[in-house]
Amino acid sequence: MQLIAITLWMVMLTGCSTGNNSTTITNATDTVLLYKKDTALVAGINVTQTILHLPEEKKLEVTKKGRLLLVLDHPTVISAPEGVYEIYLTNLLNDIDKLTSSQQSFVSLLDLYSITAPGAKQQVEIDITQQVKNLQSTGGSATPLFAVLKFAPVKLADGTFSSNAGEIHFSGISVVQVNN
Amino acid sequence: MKSYVFLFVTLLCGSIIFVGTSDNKDKPATSVRPITDIIECQSNAFYSPPPISNEEFQRRFGLEPMKTRKNVNALTQAEINAIKVGLLKMKALPYTNPTSFGYQTAIHGTNLPDNLQSWNTCHRAGEGVFFLAWHRMYLYFFERILRHKSGRADLTLPYWDYLTDPVLPAAYRENSPGNPLYMTRNAAINGGGALPASIITAFNNSMAIVPYYTFQSNLNSGPHGSVHTSVNGAMAIVNTAAVDPVFWLHHSEIDRLWEVWRAMCNGRANPVDATWLNKSYVFFDEFGNQVSLTGSQVVEISAQLNYRYDDLPSFPGCPPARPAVVRRDILITRESAVQLNGKRQKADFARESSTQIDSFIRRNNREAFNFSDASTSERLIMTFEGLAVRQMPEGVVEVYINQPDGQTPDFRSIHFVGLLDLFSAEHHTNHHFTDNPADEVELDATKVAEALGLNLNSLRNASVSFYVRGATLNRIEVGTDAEFSIRRIKFSLERSGN
């Protein structure tokens, strides 16, 4: 199966603006832990790799009522893929080529449908709370963290796989701690 | 024949709406309410009439024979043709007619500027919690209209079970003149390609979630949307999705999966909060009458909406909560581990100690099971301990008691107990859930014991067989293997009361 993996690079946030203006999902009690603004994070063409580095003092903590969200801003479908994009969280860079949806690092699928509704938020929010818990329970630390978007193509009638990964742009990505 | 015209003054949008309604069942099929009496509401405000009572609902919609929604791949050509006829007749009507295809699809979403009654009511901001209920209502009335137009009294919306056959059915891919089921879509899908396997994983992950709203949200945002975008074309956009006939296949499947989720029990239940139960939406029936349903009116599809799915029981329900005090006696334990690496495996109990059976018989002075005693609700439980999965099959693992040697296991036989839930075991093991023991699975073997005429002594020589059955692809079973081990298998007798 042809797979195209795209990892999203998040910059280290130490005392700089956390980009609160980038997202509308937050309220006064939410915390944007990480934010990276990019002119175009392109899925489907470039394979870029980005590492989520949290400052020592800023752990990815999951409170009892809190949730951690991976937020992709302004997804724009330039051309539609013949397949889906799988989302993974892993702290092992070597695993990226071997990721499959049966593994615990599989989070969900990128939902590019709901954002087409009139008035819908132009963000894709993915709850990564369970995956962060998993990482912490297995390795102690959930960082560095690799958020991976991997193209999973349609299997064609002749048994081969589509190579059309499409092209999707995002204007920014963030990890947000939502306290509700 | 009586008909009524109600005058509603909608304060919210400041417009006047004349709504003609009729609740007469004998209204001629051709008597479609003129739609010129709808004055466009310029506001996005939504008119929501008071919900009709259950009695009124029954009176209005009658007690017709139960309708069965079928797997689209099981439809006859005549049934496919009836759907085509219904769609073509709906498409022949002006889009302002509430029973037209244009009007009905605009209820889901549209790019047309008209804001007619109920248009664009899917995906309204803040109403995501009604995702499943809204679509159930939407499909229900669309189905009634399609049935009426088709002239076939037993027509139902079929479902596309992409979890077992991820290839779009051929009837929807045939680019022949006048085929209303065909549309331009993802070329790979229209060419007979299969949906990516991770969609199935994502659906299974959703089904494992117990709280309703979390389940619904997970189902909606990941796998549901990915089917839309994988099919592509009109399906990929909310405002045009319902125009593609695949939409109706897809959402019948979503509706079916909601029922499957409920039937999985173990705490899965529909909402009981008043907001959800009383939320009302307006649709149109096959005569063009404005009708409404609430959440509370769509929780039992057979009893309230008079339909079922061909592979599910008519009235799926979970066993009542068992009394807090439940006694469980272990009868016999297979201490030798069972390894399956391949297609099938058999585990005998003949060499195991049966002292616990002897003890039970002595204490209770009986050798027979007592399943019919309602006061004790006796059940025979099989427990599979230490279940470790190394390779998940592309299918399921069936469990049998006393499966005769030399016969191919058949899940319709009296030996079939159920499916070994490898997914939950794997999920719990790998995802570190803590609400249940990670590696223990149980099956209720009561019915099999009754059917086989087992008694307590029979268990001394019982055998348990495992059979890996591949998923069906294009009606052909996929060859698949599994690899797992079970540390211990127990038969226990569970009793409550007394």
Side-chain angles (χ1 to χ4, degrees):
Chain A
M1 178 184 295
Q2 178 188 352
L3 297 171
I4 299 173
I6 302 94
T7 55
L8 307 175
W9 182 43
M10 303 294 282
V11 294
M12 189 175 197
L13 298 173
T14 48
C16 61
S17 167
T18 56
N20 280 318
N21 59 349
S22 66
T23 175
T24 56
I25 68 165
T26 57
N27 58 42
T29 62
D30 297 337
T31 308
V32 178
L33 298 173
L34 294 166
Y35 178 72
K36 179 175 174 57
K37 186 181 175 96
D38 257 330
T39 51
L41 291 168
V42 183
I45 295 179
N46 297 333
V47 179
T48 55
Q49 183 170 290
T50 304
I51 302 169
L52 296 179
H53 263 154
L54 282 176
E56 283 294 321
E57 69 277 11
K58 211 165 196 177
K59 302 288 186 186
L60 277 177
E61 288 184 354
V62 182
T63 58
K64 193 166 186 179
K65 291 187 175 179
R67 292 180 300 144
L68 286 171
L69 302 180
L70 177 69
V71 181
L72 307 177
D73 290 330
H74 297 99
T76 306
V77 180
I78 306 301
S79 65
E82 288 188 333
V84 297
Y85 274 94
E86 301 165 345
I87 302 165
Y88 296 88
L89 279 188
T90 179
N91 52 9
L92 296 172
L93 195 57
N94 292 339
D95 277 358
I96 288 177
D97 290 338
K98 302 171 189 169
L99 294 173
T100 70
S101 61
S102 61
Q103 297 168 347
Q104 60 176 318
S105 52
F106 176 65
V107 180
S108 188
L109 300 170
L110 183 61
D111 179 13
L112 296 171
Y113 171 71
S114 299
I115 57 170
T116 68
K121 283 189 294 189
Q122 290 307 297
Q123 289 177 323
V124 177
E125 299 173 4
I126 303 125
D127 192 329
I128 57 172
T129 311
Q130 187 60 49
Q131 283 70 29
V132 171
K133 282 182 182 175
N134 293 342
L135 290 172
Q136 288 172 334
S137 65
T138 55
S141 172
T143 55
L145 191 63
F146 304 92
V148 182
L149 266 71
K150 182 169 144 185
F151 175 57
V154 167
K155 187 177 184 179
L156 303 176
D158 63 5
T160 62
F161 289 91
S162 172
S163 58
N164 178 10
E167 184 178 344
I168 303 159
H169 291 196
F170 305 97
S171 66
I173 52 178
S174 53
V175 171
V176 180
Q177 191 169 49
V178 181
N179 298 307
N180 59 5
Chain B
M1 179 184 304
K2 293 196 304 182
S3 65
Y4 302 92
V5 175
F6 294 107
L7 173 65
F8 295 107
V9 178
T10 58
L11 297 175
L12 290 173
C13 65
S15 301
I16 299 175
I17 304 173
F18 292 90
V19 182
T21 65
S22 168
D23 52 14
N24 289 318
K25 296 292 292 181
D26 58 350
K27 191 172 184 175
T30 53
S31 179
V32 175
R33 177 174 65 84
I35 33 61
T36 49
D37 57 2
I38 294 178
I39 298 175
E40 179 184 336
C41 176
Q42 297 296 335
S43 162
N44 286 329
F46 184 66
Y47 170 69
S48 183
I52 59 175
S53 67
N54 285 331
E55 291 73 20
E56 168 67 5
F57 183 81
Q58 290 289 334
R59 189 180 69 81
R60 182 173 294 187
F61 299 118
L63 293 170
E64 301 168 353
M66 179 78 73
K67 304 292 190 298
T68 301
R69 288 187 183 168
K70 302 174 185 173
N71 186 321
V72 65
N73 287 318
L75 295 188
T76 64
Q77 189 58 50
E79 288 171 322
I80 291 283
N81 289 344
I83 292 172
K84 290 180 180 179
V85 167
L87 287 175
L88 289 170
K89 286 188 177 176
M90 289 176 72
K91 287 186 173 185
L93 297 170
Y95 76 88
T96 47
N97 183 322
T99 66
S100 71
F101 190 75
Y103 197 110
Q104 283 293 310
T105 56
I107 288 175
H108 188 269
T110 181
N111 294 321
L112 291 171
D114 317 46
N115 189 24
L116 302 184
Q117 175 66 52
S118 299
W119 280 20
N120 299 300
T121 48
C122 180
H123 286 84
R124 282 195 312 214
E127 297 187 7
V129 293
F130 304 105
F131 166 71
L132 288 172
W134 185 91
H135 282 91
R136 173 166 288 176
M137 300 172 190
Y138 183 40
L139 262 67
Y140 174 72
F141 286 112
F142 183 92
E143 182 178 63
R144 292 184 69 101
I145 294 169
L146 187 69
R147 180 184 304 137
H148 190 256
K149 302 293 185 204
S150 77
R152 188 172 172 125
D154 63 349
L155 181 144
T156 52
L157 289 173
Y159 61 88
W160 174 18
D161 181 7
Y162 28 66
L163 301 189
T164 56
D165 190 348
V167 177
L168 186 64
Y172 289 72
R173 297 188 275 113
E174 288 169 0
N175 186 9
S176 55
N179 178 10
L181 303 178
Y182 178 82
M183 284 194 76
T184 301
R185 308 180 181 103
N186 177 341
I189 292 293
N190 263 354
L195 295 173
S198 50
I199 288 181
I200 298 170
T201 309
F203 271 114
N204 285 332
N205 288 349
S206 299
M207 303 296 276
I209 298 170
V210 171
Y212 176 84
Y213 289 122
T214 312
F215 153 70
Q216 177 183 244
S217 171
N218 192 282
L219 186 80
N220 180 11
S221 61
H224 154 258
S226 293
V227 172
H228 273 279
T229 51
S230 292
V231 172
N232 215 322
M235 271 281 278
I237 310 292
V238 168
N239 273 3
T240 57
V243 172
D244 189 334
V246 172
F247 172 92
W248 306 95
L249 289 181
H250 175 35
H251 273 280
S252 283
E253 172 69 355
I254 294 291
D255 190 67
R256 188 183 74 89
L257 290 175
W258 180 9
E259 288 302 290
V260 172
W261 174 84
R262 286 183 65 208
M264 291 168 72
C265 297
N266 292 320
R268 292 170 178 79
N270 287 333
V272 292
D273 59 279
T275 302
W276 190 90
L277 292 172
N278 296 327
K279 180 65 178 178
S280 176
Y281 286 101
V282 172
F283 296 93
F284 292 87
D285 70 10
E286 63 270 40
F287 304 114
N289 298 325
Q290 186 171 301
V291 288
S292 65
L293 282 175
T294 64
S296 66
Q297 291 172 318
V298 298
V299 289
E300 299 290 346
I301 59 171
S302 297
Q304 295 176 307
L305 301 177
N306 207 37
Y307 73 88
R308 61 180 290 268
Y309 287 95
D310 58 358
D311 61 342
L312 298 176
S314 292
F315 297 93
C318 297
R322 297 180 64 77
V325 179
V326 176
R327 175 178 179 142
R328 188 178 278 197
D329 292 287
I330 297 171
L331 298 174
I332 191 166
T333 303
R334 181 186 157 94
E335 295 288 354
S336 313
V338 179
Q339 303 263 356
L340 185 148
N341 186 1
K343 187 78 175 169
R344 59 199 299 174
Q345 184 58 283
K346 182 178 179 181
D348 289 314
F349 281 73
R351 296 181 191 171
E352 305 297 336
S353 166
S354 56
T355 55
Q356 288 169 304
I357 292 179
D358 297 334
S359 171
F360 185 92
I361 291 174
R362 269 199 313 275
R363 287 198 318 272
N364 296 278
N365 194 28
R366 63 175 167 114
E367 296 179 5
F369 292 117
N370 198 10
F371 299 134
S372 58
D373 185 349
S375 65
T376 57
S377 303
E378 191 165 287
R379 296 193 304 159
L380 182 63
I381 303 295
M382 298 176 71
T383 305
F384 304 88
E385 293 181 358
L387 179 54
V389 184
R390 281 175 286 281
Q391 181 191 336
M392 292 283 285
E394 290 183 39
V396 296
V397 177
E398 298 167 349
V399 179
Y400 295 83
I401 292 178
N402 294 353
Q403 170 67 26
D405 291 335
Q407 286 186 13
T408 302
D410 184 342
F411 59 83
R412 290 160 294 198
S413 76
I414 59 174
H415 301 278
F416 175 64
V417 182
L419 302 177
L420 192 64
D421 187 1
L422 293 188
F423 177 76
S424 293
E426 191 275 343
H427 208 62
H428 280 107
T429 303
N430 289 336
H431 295 249
H432 306 280
F433 288 178
T434 56
D435 52 343
N436 280 316
D439 58 354
E440 189 171 298
V441 173
E442 289 191 348
L443 286 176
D444 187 336
T446 308
K447 288 185 177 173
V448 175
E450 281 184 306
L452 293 175
L454 300 183
N455 60 29
L456 290 158
N457 282 319
S458 311
L459 295 180
R460 302 178 201 270
N461 297 307
S463 69
V464 176
S465 298
F466 303 91
Y467 182 74
V468 180
R469 192 178 299 280
T472 302
L473 187 60
N474 293 331
R475 303 188 188 185
I476 299 172
E477 185 181 328
V478 173
T480 184
D481 288 335
E483 185 177 357
F484 62 85
S485 60
I486 299 169
R487 191 172 63 243
R488 192 178 291 122
I489 304 174
K490 287 179 182 172
F491 279 100
S492 306
L493 199 61
E494 185 179 287
R495 293 171 294 162
S496 60
N498 294 333

